[in-house]
Protein backbone atom coordinates (compact mmCIF):
# COMPACT_ATOMS: atom_id res chain seq x y z
CA UNK A 1 0.00 0.00 0.00
CA UNK A 2 2.82 2.37 0.95
CA UNK A 3 4.58 1.59 -2.34
CA UNK A 4 1.42 2.30 -4.34
CA UNK A 5 0.93 5.60 -2.50
CA UNK A 6 4.54 6.57 -3.17
CA UNK A 7 4.17 5.80 -6.87
CA UNK A 8 0.98 7.84 -7.00
CA UNK A 9 2.68 10.82 -5.35
CA UNK A 10 5.65 10.45 -7.74
CA UNK A 11 3.30 10.42 -10.76
CA UNK A 12 1.52 13.55 -9.51
CA UNK A 13 4.84 15.33 -8.97
CA UNK A 14 6.06 14.28 -12.43
CA UNK A 15 2.91 15.67 -14.03
CA UNK A 16 3.44 18.92 -12.12
CA UNK A 17 7.00 19.16 -13.48
CA UNK A 18 5.74 18.58 -17.02
CA UNK A 19 3.07 21.26 -16.53
CA UNK A 20 5.62 23.72 -15.17
CA UNK A 21 7.95 23.09 -18.12
CA UNK A 22 5.09 23.57 -20.59
CA UNK A 23 4.02 26.78 -18.87
CA UNK A 24 7.56 28.12 -19.15
CA UNK A 25 7.24 28.01 -22.94
CA UNK A 26 3.87 29.68 -23.62
CA UNK A 27 2.31 29.79 -27.03
CA UNK A 28 0.49 33.07 -27.49
CA UNK A 29 -2.51 33.70 -29.68
CA UNK A 30 -3.63 37.34 -29.74
CA UNK A 31 -4.61 40.18 -32.06
CA UNK A 32 -3.97 43.92 -32.15
CA UNK A 33 -5.74 46.71 -33.99
CA UNK A 34 -4.23 48.16 -37.16
CA UNK A 35 -5.24 51.76 -37.87
CA UNK A 36 -5.31 52.91 -41.48
CA UNK A 37 -3.46 56.22 -41.63
CA UNK A 38 -6.35 57.78 -43.59
CA UNK A 39 -9.09 56.68 -41.18
CA UNK A 40 -10.66 59.02 -38.59
CA UNK A 41 -8.89 57.01 -35.85
CA UNK A 42 -5.48 58.05 -37.18
CA UNK A 43 -3.61 61.17 -35.98
CA UNK A 44 -2.58 61.65 -39.64
CA UNK A 45 -6.24 62.03 -40.61
CA UNK A 46 -7.14 65.48 -41.93
CA UNK A 47 -10.91 66.04 -41.92
CA UNK A 48 -10.65 68.93 -44.36
CA UNK A 49 -9.08 66.70 -47.03
CA UNK A 50 -11.29 65.18 -49.70
CA UNK A 51 -11.25 61.50 -50.58
CA UNK A 52 -9.43 62.40 -53.80
CA UNK A 53 -6.72 64.29 -51.92
CA UNK A 54 -6.17 61.40 -49.51
CA UNK A 55 -5.94 58.94 -52.38
CA UNK A 56 -3.57 61.14 -54.35
CA UNK A 57 -1.29 61.25 -51.29
CA UNK A 58 -1.53 57.47 -50.94
CA UNK A 59 -0.55 57.00 -54.58
CA UNK A 60 2.46 59.28 -54.13
CA UNK A 61 3.46 57.31 -51.04
CA UNK A 62 3.14 54.09 -53.03
CA UNK A 63 5.51 55.31 -55.73
CA UNK A 64 7.90 56.79 -53.17
CA UNK A 65 7.95 53.50 -51.28
CA UNK A 66 8.97 51.60 -54.40
CA UNK A 67 12.07 53.82 -54.52
CA UNK A 68 12.77 52.84 -50.89
CA UNK A 69 12.70 49.16 -51.75
CA UNK A 70 14.86 49.64 -54.81
CA UNK A 71 17.47 51.64 -52.91
CA UNK A 72 17.60 49.14 -50.08
CA UNK A 73 18.03 46.20 -52.42
CA UNK A 74 20.82 48.02 -54.29
CA UNK A 75 22.41 49.53 -51.19
CA UNK A 76 26.16 49.15 -51.23
CA UNK A 77 26.66 49.58 -47.49
CA UNK A 78 25.39 46.76 -45.24
CA UNK A 79 25.43 49.05 -42.20
CA UNK A 80 23.12 51.70 -43.60
CA UNK A 81 19.46 51.05 -44.37
CA UNK A 82 18.14 53.24 -47.15
CA UNK A 83 14.48 54.11 -46.85
CA UNK A 84 12.01 56.90 -47.24
CA UNK A 85 10.75 58.91 -44.31
CA UNK A 86 8.47 56.92 -42.03
CA UNK A 87 5.63 59.40 -41.98
CA UNK A 88 5.00 58.77 -45.67
CA UNK A 89 5.93 55.11 -45.73
CA UNK A 90 3.47 52.81 -44.03
CA UNK A 91 -0.27 52.77 -44.52
CA UNK A 92 -1.09 51.31 -41.10
CA UNK A 93 -0.40 52.26 -37.49
CA UNK A 94 -0.38 50.19 -34.33
CA UNK A 95 -0.27 50.96 -30.62
CA UNK A 96 2.29 49.39 -28.35
CA UNK A 97 4.02 50.22 -25.09
CA UNK A 98 7.68 50.17 -24.09
CA UNK A 99 9.13 49.96 -20.61
CA UNK A 100 7.90 49.35 -17.06
CA UNK A 101 5.52 50.95 -16.31
CA UNK A 102 4.24 50.71 -19.90
CA UNK A 103 4.70 53.88 -21.99
CA UNK A 104 2.36 53.96 -25.01
CA UNK A 105 3.55 54.91 -28.47
CA UNK A 106 1.76 54.97 -31.83
CA UNK A 107 4.01 53.67 -34.59
CA UNK A 108 3.95 52.75 -38.26
CA UNK A 109 3.50 48.98 -38.72
CA UNK A 110 5.76 48.11 -41.63
CA UNK A 111 6.37 44.76 -43.33
CA UNK A 112 9.13 46.44 -45.35
CA UNK A 113 11.53 47.12 -42.48
CA UNK A 114 12.94 45.44 -39.37
CA UNK A 115 13.98 47.90 -36.67
CA UNK A 116 11.58 48.80 -33.85
CA UNK A 117 12.37 52.32 -32.69
CA UNK A 118 10.99 55.37 -30.93
CA UNK A 119 12.31 58.76 -29.87
CA UNK A 120 13.93 58.79 -26.43
CA UNK A 121 14.98 61.30 -23.80
CA UNK A 122 17.42 63.00 -23.64
CA UNK A 123 16.70 64.09 -27.18
CA UNK A 124 19.29 66.65 -28.22
CA UNK A 125 18.35 66.47 -31.90
CA UNK A 126 14.72 65.33 -32.00
CA UNK A 127 12.01 66.13 -34.49
CA UNK A 128 8.81 67.67 -33.19
CA UNK A 129 6.54 64.99 -31.69
CA UNK A 130 3.03 65.73 -30.43
CA UNK A 131 2.98 62.87 -27.93
CA UNK A 132 5.32 62.67 -24.90
CA UNK A 133 8.77 61.19 -25.57
CA UNK A 134 9.89 58.00 -23.83
CA UNK A 135 12.46 58.44 -21.05
CA UNK A 136 14.41 55.19 -20.49
CA UNK A 137 15.40 56.36 -17.00
CA UNK A 138 11.76 56.09 -15.95
CA UNK A 139 11.65 52.37 -16.87
CA UNK A 140 12.82 49.66 -14.46
CA UNK A 141 13.34 47.17 -17.31
CA UNK A 142 15.44 49.23 -19.75
CA UNK A 143 18.93 47.84 -20.38
CA UNK A 144 21.63 49.22 -22.67
CA UNK A 145 23.53 46.58 -24.67
CA UNK A 146 27.29 46.28 -24.86
CA UNK A 147 28.73 47.23 -28.23
CA UNK A 148 30.54 43.89 -28.27
CA UNK A 149 27.40 41.85 -27.63
CA UNK A 150 25.91 39.44 -30.16
CA UNK A 151 22.69 41.49 -30.06
CA UNK A 152 24.60 44.56 -31.21
CA UNK A 153 25.94 42.68 -34.20
CA UNK A 154 22.35 42.08 -35.30
CA UNK A 155 21.78 45.79 -35.90
CA UNK A 156 25.28 46.64 -37.15
CA UNK A 157 27.60 44.43 -39.17
CA UNK A 158 30.41 46.36 -37.55
CA UNK A 159 30.06 47.08 -33.82
CA UNK A 160 29.41 50.71 -32.99
CA UNK A 161 30.14 52.10 -29.55
CA UNK A 162 29.12 55.25 -27.74
CA UNK A 163 31.37 56.84 -25.10
CA UNK A 164 30.02 54.37 -22.52
CA UNK A 165 30.76 51.32 -24.70
CA UNK A 166 27.05 50.84 -25.32
CA UNK A 167 25.66 49.60 -28.63
CA UNK A 168 24.91 52.53 -30.91
CA UNK A 169 22.89 52.40 -34.14
CA UNK A 170 22.47 54.79 -37.05
CA UNK A 171 19.85 54.44 -39.76
CA UNK A 172 19.93 56.88 -42.68
CA UNK A 173 16.89 57.48 -44.90
CA UNK A 174 16.36 58.42 -48.52
CA UNK A 175 15.61 62.10 -47.95
CA UNK A 176 18.63 62.67 -45.65
CA UNK A 177 16.50 62.06 -42.56
CA UNK A 178 18.08 59.81 -39.96
CA UNK A 179 17.73 58.24 -36.53
CA UNK A 180 20.57 57.39 -34.15
CA UNK A 181 20.69 56.18 -30.60
CA UNK A 182 21.15 53.23 -28.28
CA UNK A 183 20.19 49.74 -29.38
CA UNK A 184 18.76 48.39 -26.14
CA UNK A 185 16.68 45.68 -24.48
CA UNK A 186 13.28 46.57 -23.05
CA UNK A 187 9.86 45.12 -22.27
CA UNK A 188 7.42 45.63 -25.14
CA UNK A 189 3.71 45.34 -24.43
CA UNK A 190 1.07 44.83 -27.10
CA UNK A 191 -2.55 45.72 -26.31
CA UNK A 192 -4.57 42.82 -27.64
CA UNK A 193 -8.13 43.22 -28.89
CA UNK A 194 -9.25 40.90 -26.06
CA UNK A 195 -8.29 43.59 -23.55
CA UNK A 196 -5.45 41.54 -22.04
CA UNK A 197 -2.01 43.10 -22.69
CA UNK A 198 0.74 40.74 -23.81
CA UNK A 199 4.27 41.39 -22.52
CA UNK A 200 7.56 40.49 -24.21
CA UNK A 201 10.55 41.16 -21.92
CA UNK A 202 14.07 41.86 -23.20
CA UNK A 203 12.92 42.83 -26.68
CA UNK A 204 15.48 44.66 -28.80
CA UNK A 205 14.65 48.18 -29.98
CA UNK A 206 16.21 51.46 -30.99
CA UNK A 207 16.09 54.27 -28.44
CA UNK A 208 16.57 57.26 -30.72
CA UNK A 209 18.36 60.24 -29.17
CA UNK A 210 19.33 62.00 -32.41
CA UNK A 211 16.57 62.06 -35.02
CA UNK A 212 16.29 64.64 -37.75
CA UNK A 213 14.58 65.27 -41.05
CA UNK A 214 10.97 65.43 -42.14
CA UNK A 215 9.41 62.96 -39.72
CA UNK A 216 5.75 63.62 -38.84
CA UNK A 217 4.86 64.97 -35.41
CA UNK A 218 1.83 62.66 -35.20
CA UNK A 219 3.82 59.42 -34.97
CA UNK A 220 6.21 58.07 -32.36
CA UNK A 221 8.34 55.63 -34.35
CA UNK A 222 8.11 52.41 -36.28
CA UNK A 223 7.50 48.69 -35.72
CA UNK A 224 9.42 46.56 -38.19
CA UNK A 225 7.45 43.46 -39.24
CA UNK A 226 9.96 42.31 -41.84
CA UNK A 227 11.87 39.06 -41.99
CA UNK A 228 15.19 40.29 -40.56
CA UNK A 229 16.55 39.14 -37.21
CA UNK A 230 15.67 42.32 -35.27
CA UNK A 231 12.06 42.63 -36.48
CA UNK A 232 9.18 42.16 -34.07
CA UNK A 233 8.19 38.95 -35.86
CA UNK A 234 11.65 37.39 -35.61
CA UNK A 235 12.05 38.41 -31.98
CA UNK A 236 8.71 36.91 -30.96
CA UNK A 237 9.80 33.76 -32.79
CA UNK A 238 8.69 30.53 -31.16
CA UNK A 239 6.35 32.31 -28.74
CA UNK A 240 4.03 32.89 -31.71
CA UNK A 241 5.14 29.74 -33.59
CA UNK A 242 6.53 32.05 -36.29
CA UNK A 243 3.02 33.01 -37.39
CA UNK A 244 1.34 36.37 -38.01
CA UNK A 245 -1.51 37.44 -40.23
CA UNK A 246 -3.57 40.49 -41.06
CA UNK A 247 -6.99 41.25 -42.47
CA UNK A 248 -7.09 44.69 -44.13
CA UNK A 249 -10.36 46.60 -44.14
CA UNK A 250 -11.10 48.99 -47.03
CA UNK A 251 -10.68 52.66 -46.08
CA UNK A 252 -14.32 53.31 -47.02
CA UNK A 253 -15.39 50.86 -44.29
CA UNK A 254 -13.18 52.45 -41.62
CA UNK A 255 -14.63 55.87 -42.43
CA UNK A 256 -18.28 54.79 -42.14
CA UNK A 257 -18.07 52.35 -39.23
CA UNK A 258 -15.92 51.32 -36.30
CA UNK A 259 -14.40 48.51 -38.32
CA UNK A 260 -10.63 48.30 -38.22
CA UNK A 261 -7.97 46.02 -39.61
CA UNK A 262 -6.41 43.35 -37.39
CA UNK A 263 -2.88 42.07 -36.95
CA UNK A 264 -2.88 38.54 -35.52
CA UNK A 265 -0.13 36.51 -33.87
CA UNK A 266 0.40 32.86 -32.97
CA UNK A 267 -2.65 30.63 -32.91
CA UNK A 268 -4.84 33.61 -33.88
CA UNK A 269 -2.84 33.92 -37.11
CA UNK A 270 -3.62 30.49 -38.54
CA UNK A 271 -5.19 30.71 -42.01
CA UNK A 272 -7.13 27.57 -42.83
CA UNK A 273 -10.52 26.29 -43.95
CA UNK A 274 -12.52 26.63 -47.13
CA UNK A 275 -10.92 28.89 -49.72
CA UNK A 276 -7.48 29.06 -48.05
CA UNK A 277 -4.49 28.64 -50.37
CA UNK A 278 -0.74 28.78 -49.64
CA UNK A 279 2.37 29.70 -51.61
CA UNK A 280 6.04 29.35 -50.65
CA UNK A 281 8.12 32.20 -49.27
CA UNK A 282 11.44 32.45 -51.09
CA UNK A 283 14.53 33.35 -49.05
CA UNK A 284 16.46 36.17 -50.69
CA UNK A 285 18.54 39.18 -49.73
CA UNK A 286 17.75 41.49 -48.16
CA UNK A 287 15.96 39.18 -45.72
CA UNK A 288 13.74 42.06 -44.61
CA UNK A 289 11.39 41.55 -47.55
CA UNK A 290 8.87 38.77 -48.15
CA UNK A 291 9.44 37.34 -51.64
CA UNK A 292 6.76 35.31 -53.47
CA UNK A 293 6.70 33.71 -56.90
CA UNK A 294 4.07 35.08 -59.29
CA UNK A 295 3.54 32.83 -62.32
CA UNK A 296 0.76 34.69 -64.13
CA UNK A 297 -2.32 36.89 -63.82
CA UNK A 298 -5.56 35.89 -65.51
CA UNK A 299 -8.06 38.43 -66.79
CA UNK A 300 -11.23 36.41 -66.93
CA UNK A 301 -10.16 33.35 -68.94
CA UNK A 302 -7.12 35.02 -70.52
CA UNK A 303 -3.89 34.02 -68.76
CA UNK A 304 -0.92 36.41 -69.00
CA UNK A 305 2.39 34.84 -68.04
CA UNK A 306 4.52 36.89 -65.65
CA UNK A 307 7.98 37.31 -67.19
CA UNK A 308 9.73 38.02 -63.91
CA UNK A 309 11.20 41.22 -62.56
CA UNK A 310 14.45 42.71 -61.33
CA UNK A 311 14.28 40.03 -58.59
CA UNK A 312 14.57 37.24 -61.16
CA UNK A 313 12.53 35.39 -63.75
CA UNK A 314 11.09 32.73 -61.46
CA UNK A 315 11.49 32.06 -57.73
CA UNK A 316 10.94 35.12 -55.54
CA UNK A 317 10.10 37.52 -58.37
CA UNK A 318 7.71 39.79 -56.41
CA UNK A 319 7.50 41.29 -52.91
CA UNK A 320 4.29 41.19 -50.90
CA UNK A 321 3.93 44.38 -48.87
CA UNK A 322 1.17 45.88 -46.70
CA UNK A 323 2.66 49.38 -46.86
CA UNK A 324 2.46 49.88 -50.63
CA UNK A 325 -0.95 50.91 -51.94
CA UNK A 326 -0.66 49.84 -55.57
CA UNK A 327 0.58 46.68 -57.24
CA UNK A 328 3.73 47.31 -59.28
CA UNK A 329 4.71 45.16 -62.27
CA UNK A 330 7.16 45.51 -65.20
CA UNK A 331 6.16 47.81 -68.09
CA UNK A 332 5.72 45.15 -70.77
CA UNK A 333 3.62 42.96 -68.49
CA UNK A 334 1.55 45.95 -67.39
CA UNK A 335 0.82 46.91 -71.00
CA UNK A 336 -0.45 43.42 -71.77
CA UNK A 337 -2.47 43.33 -68.54
CA UNK A 338 -4.08 46.72 -69.18
CA UNK A 339 -4.96 45.76 -72.74
CA UNK A 340 -6.64 42.56 -71.54
CA UNK A 341 -8.57 44.36 -68.81
CA UNK A 342 -9.74 47.02 -71.26
CA UNK A 343 -10.87 44.41 -73.77
CA UNK A 344 -12.88 42.58 -71.09
CA UNK A 345 -14.44 45.73 -69.62
CA UNK A 346 -17.60 47.57 -70.55
CA UNK A 347 -17.42 51.23 -69.64
CA UNK A 348 -16.55 54.77 -70.68
CA UNK A 349 -12.84 55.56 -70.40
CA UNK A 350 -11.85 58.80 -68.71
CA UNK A 351 -8.64 60.44 -67.49
CA UNK A 352 -7.22 59.98 -63.99
CA UNK A 353 -7.50 63.39 -62.27
CA UNK A 354 -4.39 62.51 -60.20
CA UNK A 355 -2.41 61.85 -63.41
CA UNK A 356 -0.99 58.70 -61.81
CA UNK A 357 -2.98 55.75 -63.15
CA UNK A 358 -3.48 54.79 -66.76
CA UNK A 359 -6.72 52.81 -67.15
CA UNK A 360 -9.73 54.69 -65.73
CA UNK A 361 -13.48 54.56 -66.22
CA UNK A 362 -16.54 56.56 -65.33
CA UNK A 363 -18.03 54.86 -62.27
CA UNK A 364 -21.62 54.49 -63.41
CA UNK A 365 -24.17 51.68 -63.32
CA UNK A 366 -23.12 50.49 -66.78
CA UNK A 367 -19.51 49.76 -65.82
CA UNK A 368 -18.48 46.10 -65.95
CA UNK A 369 -14.93 44.95 -65.24
CA UNK A 370 -13.46 41.43 -65.22
CA UNK A 371 -12.31 39.35 -62.27
CA UNK A 372 -8.55 38.93 -62.10
CA UNK A 373 -6.69 35.95 -60.64
CA UNK A 374 -3.12 36.14 -59.38
CA UNK A 375 -1.45 32.78 -59.96
CA UNK A 376 1.23 32.37 -57.33
CA UNK A 377 3.23 29.16 -57.09
CA UNK A 378 0.69 26.66 -55.73
CA UNK A 379 -1.96 29.30 -54.97
CA UNK A 380 -4.57 31.04 -57.13
CA UNK A 381 -5.80 34.26 -55.48
CA UNK A 382 -8.99 35.73 -56.93
CA UNK A 383 -8.93 39.51 -57.11
CA UNK A 384 -12.36 41.10 -57.09
CA UNK A 385 -13.17 44.65 -58.12
CA UNK A 386 -12.23 45.96 -54.65
CA UNK A 387 -8.72 44.54 -55.21
CA UNK A 388 -8.20 45.78 -58.76
CA UNK A 389 -9.93 49.17 -59.06
CA UNK A 390 -9.87 52.20 -56.78
CA UNK A 391 -12.04 55.29 -56.76
CA UNK A 392 -9.70 58.21 -57.42
CA UNK A 393 -12.41 60.88 -57.42
CA UNK A 394 -16.15 61.27 -57.47
CA UNK A 395 -17.31 59.19 -60.41
CA UNK A 396 -13.89 57.90 -61.53
CA UNK A 397 -12.30 54.49 -60.85
CA UNK A 398 -8.88 53.32 -62.05
CA UNK A 399 -6.94 50.07 -62.32
CA UNK A 400 -4.82 49.80 -59.14
CA UNK A 401 -1.73 48.56 -60.98
CA UNK A 402 1.21 50.62 -62.19
CA UNK A 403 4.20 49.92 -64.43
CA UNK A 404 7.64 49.81 -62.79
CA UNK A 405 10.68 48.09 -64.29
CA UNK A 406 12.79 48.49 -61.13
CA UNK A 407 10.71 46.43 -58.74
CA UNK A 408 7.59 44.24 -58.45
CA UNK A 409 5.28 44.59 -55.43
CA UNK A 410 1.94 42.97 -54.58
CA UNK A 411 0.36 45.92 -52.77
CA UNK A 412 -2.24 46.23 -50.07
CA UNK A 413 -5.21 47.12 -52.31
CA UNK A 414 -4.83 43.67 -53.88
CA UNK A 415 -4.88 42.16 -50.37
CA UNK A 416 -8.04 43.87 -49.09
CA UNK A 417 -10.68 41.53 -47.65
CA UNK A 418 -8.24 38.64 -47.57
CA UNK A 419 -6.88 37.01 -44.45
CA UNK A 420 -3.16 36.97 -45.29
CA UNK A 421 -1.05 34.71 -43.10
CA UNK A 422 2.73 34.41 -42.86
CA UNK A 423 4.33 31.28 -41.43
CA UNK A 424 8.03 31.96 -40.98
CA UNK A 425 8.76 28.44 -39.74
CA UNK A 426 7.09 26.71 -42.70
CA UNK A 427 8.09 29.52 -45.13
CA UNK A 428 4.61 30.04 -46.56
CA UNK A 429 2.14 32.86 -47.15
CA UNK A 430 -1.56 31.94 -47.15
CA UNK A 431 -4.60 33.77 -48.51
CA UNK A 432 -8.24 33.31 -47.63
CA UNK A 433 -11.14 35.45 -48.94
CA UNK A 434 -12.62 37.13 -45.84
CA UNK A 435 -14.96 39.97 -44.95
CA UNK A 436 -12.42 41.79 -42.81
CA UNK A 437 -15.07 44.09 -41.30
CA UNK A 438 -16.40 41.03 -39.44
CA UNK A 439 -13.06 39.76 -38.16
Amino acid sequence: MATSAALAIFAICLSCLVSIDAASKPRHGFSVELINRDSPKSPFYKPDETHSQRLANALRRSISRSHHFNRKINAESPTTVESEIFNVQGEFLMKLSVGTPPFEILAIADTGSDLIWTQCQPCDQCYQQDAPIFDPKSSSTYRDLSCTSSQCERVNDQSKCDVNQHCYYTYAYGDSSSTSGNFAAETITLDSTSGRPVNFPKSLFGCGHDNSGTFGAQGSGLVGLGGGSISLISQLGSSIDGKFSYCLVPVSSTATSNSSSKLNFGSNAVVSGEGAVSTPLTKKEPDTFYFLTLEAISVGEKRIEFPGSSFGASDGNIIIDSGTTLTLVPQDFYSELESAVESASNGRRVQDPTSTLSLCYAADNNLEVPVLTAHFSGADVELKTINTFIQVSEGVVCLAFIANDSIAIFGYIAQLNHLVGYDIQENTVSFKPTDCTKE
Side-chain angles (χ1 to χ4, degrees):
M1 179 69 74
T3 301
S4 299
L7 288 173
I9 293 172
F10 176 76
I12 292 171
C13 291
L14 181 61
S15 68
C16 290
L17 290 173
V18 172
S19 298
I20 290 170
D21 182 65
S24 69
K25 299 178 180 179
R27 292 294 183 265
H28 296 293
F30 62 96
S31 302
V32 300
E33 182 181 22
L34 282 178
I35 303 170
N36 189 295
R37 61 173 294 134
D38 286 328
S39 79
K41 292 183 177 182
S42 167
F44 292 99
Y45 179 76
K46 297 179 180 179
D48 56 333
E49 281 188 342
T50 65
H51 171 80
S52 300
Q53 289 173 322
R54 294 190 189 100
L55 183 61
N57 290 335
L59 297 182
R60 282 193 290 269
R61 290 194 298 269
S62 191
I63 295 169
S64 174
R65 187 171 174 85
S66 70
H67 299 325
H68 144 57
F69 282 123
N70 196 43
R71 275 195 294 271
K72 184 168 183 180
I73 289 167
N74 296 319
E76 295 180 358
S77 170
T79 60
T80 300
V81 177
E82 291 290 341
S83 176
E84 290 297 314
I85 52 177
F86 289 135
N87 68 305
V88 297
Q89 270 307 304
E91 294 299 314
F92 296 91
L93 307 161
M94 64 181 287
K95 292 180 181 179
L96 70 158
S97 297
V98 294
T100 307
F103 183 92
E104 186 176 271
I105 65 172
L106 182 65
I108 298 289
D110 186 14
T111 54
S113 59
D114 294 321
L115 182 68
I116 307 166
W117 75 273
T118 189
Q119 293 204 113
C120 289
Q121 299 284 7
C123 227
D124 299 327
Q125 298 290 331
C126 276
Y127 64 87
Q128 178 64 40
Q129 180 177 305
D130 293 341
I133 295 175
F134 175 64
D135 185 352
K137 291 182 179 179
S138 66
S139 171
S140 63
T141 49
Y142 177 88
R143 297 291 183 272
D144 283 311
L145 300 172
S146 166
C147 60
T148 60
S149 66
S150 59
Q151 294 98 325
C152 190
E153 293 177 356
R154 292 165 67 180
V155 72
N156 288 323
D157 286 354
Q158 298 175 351
S159 296
K160 305 291 183 181
C161 298
D162 65 10
V163 294
N164 298 313
Q165 298 299 300
H166 294 150
C167 185
Y168 192 81
Y169 78 92
T170 297
Y171 268 34
Y173 296 88
D175 66 341
S176 298
S177 298
S178 65
T179 174
S180 301
N182 291 87
F183 191 55
E186 180 59 288
T187 295
I188 289 180
T189 302
L190 301 179
D191 293 328
S192 72
T193 54
S194 68
R196 299 177 60 185
V198 185
N199 301 321
F200 296 97
K202 300 180 181 179
S203 296
L204 305 180
F205 85 116
C207 201
H209 298 290
D210 186 350
N211 317 292
S212 61
T214 53
F215 299 108
Q218 302 94 331
S220 308
L222 184 142
V223 178
L225 301 174
S229 64
I230 60 173
S231 76
L232 178 65
I233 303 304
S234 295
Q235 291 193 60
L236 298 187
S238 61
S239 70
I240 59 169
D241 289 329
K243 294 180 177 66
F244 76 100
S245 68
Y246 49 74
C247 207
L248 304 180
V249 174
V251 177
S252 57
S253 298
T254 64
T256 57
S257 69
N258 289 324
S259 299
S260 61
S261 301
K262 298 292 189 301
L263 177 62
N264 312 301
F265 298 92
S267 58
N268 283 25
V270 174
V271 178
S272 61
E274 184 179 356
V277 294
S278 297
T279 186
L281 271 172
T282 299
K283 293 293 185 181
K284 281 190 172 185
E285 292 296 331
D287 58 6
T288 297
F289 303 142
Y290 296 106
F291 293 92
L292 305 182
T293 301
L294 180 64
E295 297 176 344
I297 294 181
S298 290
V299 180
E301 298 299 319
K302 180 179 176 59
R303 181 182 171 103
I304 305 170
E305 298 298 324
F306 189 66
S309 67
S310 58
F311 301 135
S314 55
D315 292 351
N317 57 24
I318 192 168
I319 290 171
I320 181 172
D321 179 49
S322 64
T324 302
T325 304
L326 302 170
T327 291
L328 284 64
V329 293
Q331 176 66 65
D332 290 347
F333 180 81
Y334 174 80
S335 298
E336 192 173 355
L337 178 70
E338 180 185 301
S339 177
V341 172
E342 182 179 17
S343 296
S345 298
N346 181 18
R348 179 169 58 89
R349 284 199 65 168
V350 295
Q351 294 296 313
D352 173 16
T354 71
S355 301
T356 304
L357 302 175
S358 177
L359 182 61
C360 302
Y361 292 99
D364 55 38
N365 294 333
N366 297 320
L367 177 62
E368 296 178 359
V369 296
V371 171
L372 274 61
T373 303
H375 302 285
F376 293 102
S377 176
D380 293 341
V381 179
E382 185 178 281
L383 305 178
K384 298 182 179 179
T385 305
I386 194 174
N387 305 117
T388 56
F389 279 83
I390 51 175
Q391 182 178 344
V392 296
S393 68
E394 190 68 31
V396 177
V397 296
C398 298
L399 183 66
F401 287 70
I402 194 169
N404 189 307
D405 282 328
S406 298
I407 198 165
I409 302 175
F410 193 66
Y412 94 78
I413 291 293
Q415 302 174 56
L416 291 175
N417 275 351
H418 282 85
L419 183 59
V420 183
Y422 298 67
D423 190 327
I424 309 306
Q425 293 182 351
E426 297 296 327
N427 289 319
T428 60
V429 171
S430 300
F431 300 87
K432 182 180 180 180
T434 305
D435 183 350
C436 293
T437 63
K438 297 179 180 178
E439 283 294 294

